[in-house]
Amino acid sequence: MGRTLHVEIYDRSRGTRTVQACELPFEIGKQPQSASCIRLDPSYVTISRVHGKVEEAESGLIYIDSSSNGTTISGTFVKGRNKAISSADIIIIENYEIKILETKSALIKQTGPTLQVRGEQEAEPGDALVIVKTDDALKVMLDTPESNQHSVVGRIHFDGVAVTFDLYGHDASMPITVNKRLVSDMPLTARMSDVVEIGGERFEVLGRDQKKIVCGNPSCHLLNDLPFEGNCVWCGHYLAASGSFTRVTLP
């Protein structure tokens, strides 16, 4: 078996989106035979038992169609032949959209209101995290039997594109914002470079090998792209002024 890819499967008929770890090579279909596979709804007559297969060649990833009805890959119809694919492509089989995700992990950096770092947690696509309540603060941890011994107040899921926060029974006593905008509905979705604030806790959603500027305005402190010679896209504060600094994450 080869390296592991994270694959997003979007079912348009149900509106559900999942991320699955698949070891190369892997089959896609309603009755795939390989140990590493993506299993689709068997009720679709247009989906073959083994509709296609993703392998790694010297030139990169390839999709091998073995179906009766063919596959559409980023607008190109493929039947009974191979096609090179990348993370930019969308594989469409019946009502399913299947996409190879880039393998960069997310880093959730937790700080207090004055930006002192209180902790950080890395997440790979498909990972589930929990938000636990300790004596004096909230803390993000991997979802393990050990973490579930704490008082779990919410969960976080990273699908390779977005980070979903879901807090249990939250109310006005613990205001929740994304980039300073109040959120009332759960779950909430945050993307890379967003700042989620829960009560007095602040969570920066970052990618690996990323550089961001934290705005020096005390009422903002949101994330901006380099360079310093510009204004904050959120509040207009001049980024090169006192208080701003660069947040760097490692590869």
Side-chain angles (χ1 to χ4, degrees):
M1 303 293 279
R3 63 190 175 103
T4 298
L5 301 179
H6 289 89
V7 184
E8 178 185 78
I9 305 108
Y10 175 53
D11 184 345
R12 293 180 297 193
S13 65
R14 295 181 175 89
T16 57
R17 192 182 304 271
T18 58
V19 175
Q20 182 176 325
C22 298
E23 193 171 1
L24 287 167
F26 61 88
E27 294 177 345
I28 304 171
K30 59 185 181 183
Q31 290 184 1
Q33 303 300 309
S34 63
S36 181
C37 64
I38 294 174
R39 195 175 299 275
L40 306 180
D41 189 341
S43 66
Y44 286 115
V45 296
T46 54
I47 298 178
S48 298
R49 293 183 179 183
V50 180
H51 203 93
K53 186 176 184 180
V54 175
E55 292 186 351
E56 189 158 40
E58 291 184 4
S59 57
L61 296 175
I62 58 170
Y63 177 83
I64 304 169
D65 182 82
S66 57
S67 69
S68 301
N69 294 287
T71 306
T72 300
I73 302 177
S74 297
T76 300
F77 183 71
V78 177
K79 184 178 179 183
R81 61 186 180 91
N82 304 349
K83 187 181 186 309
I85 59 171
S86 71
S87 60
D89 289 311
I90 298 177
I91 301 168
I92 298 177
I93 301 173
E94 187 55 57
N95 278 323
Y96 291 95
E97 295 181 4
I98 299 169
K99 180 177 174 62
I100 308 296
L101 297 176
E102 294 185 2
T103 56
K104 276 191 176 181
S105 58
L107 184 71
I108 300 175
K109 188 177 291 290
Q110 182 176 354
T111 77
T114 57
L115 302 183
Q116 71 275 23
V117 177
R118 294 182 175 175
E120 61 182 38
Q121 180 63 59
E122 188 171 354
E124 298 292 340
D127 274 355
L129 312 175
V130 292
I131 305 172
V132 301
K133 190 173 184 179
T134 61
D135 292 338
D136 58 350
L138 300 178
K139 185 177 180 181
V140 175
M141 306 173 68
L142 281 172
D143 189 358
T144 64
E146 180 182 355
S147 65
N148 279 273
Q149 293 177 6
H150 297 272
S151 176
V152 176
V153 298
R155 297 188 181 274
I156 298 174
H157 180 75
F158 176 52
D159 66 5
V161 178
V163 177
T164 302
F165 289 71
D166 192 4
L167 268 73
Y168 307 144
H170 74 284
D171 53 38
S173 65
M174 186 182 288
I176 302 171
T177 64
V178 179
N179 299 327
K180 299 296 182 182
R181 294 185 177 182
L182 192 64
V183 175
S184 57
D185 295 329
M186 286 287 126
L188 70 85
T189 299
R191 298 192 177 272
M192 298 296 183
S193 303
D194 283 346
V195 176
V196 177
E197 293 174 274
I198 305 172
E201 298 297 317
R202 182 176 176 279
F203 301 91
E204 296 177 4
V205 181
L206 301 163
R208 278 297 184 189
D209 194 18
Q210 191 173 43
K211 294 181 180 180
K212 294 291 177 180
I213 300 170
V214 180
C215 176
N217 179 356
S219 65
C220 179
H221 287 331
L222 297 181
L223 302 178
N224 291 260
D225 292 324
L226 295 172
F228 272 100
E229 293 74 24
N231 296 329
C232 174
V233 297
W234 305 102
C235 72
H237 181 77
Y238 184 49
L239 292 173
S242 175
S244 299
F245 65 93
T246 304
R247 179 79 80 201
V248 180
T249 57
L250 299 176

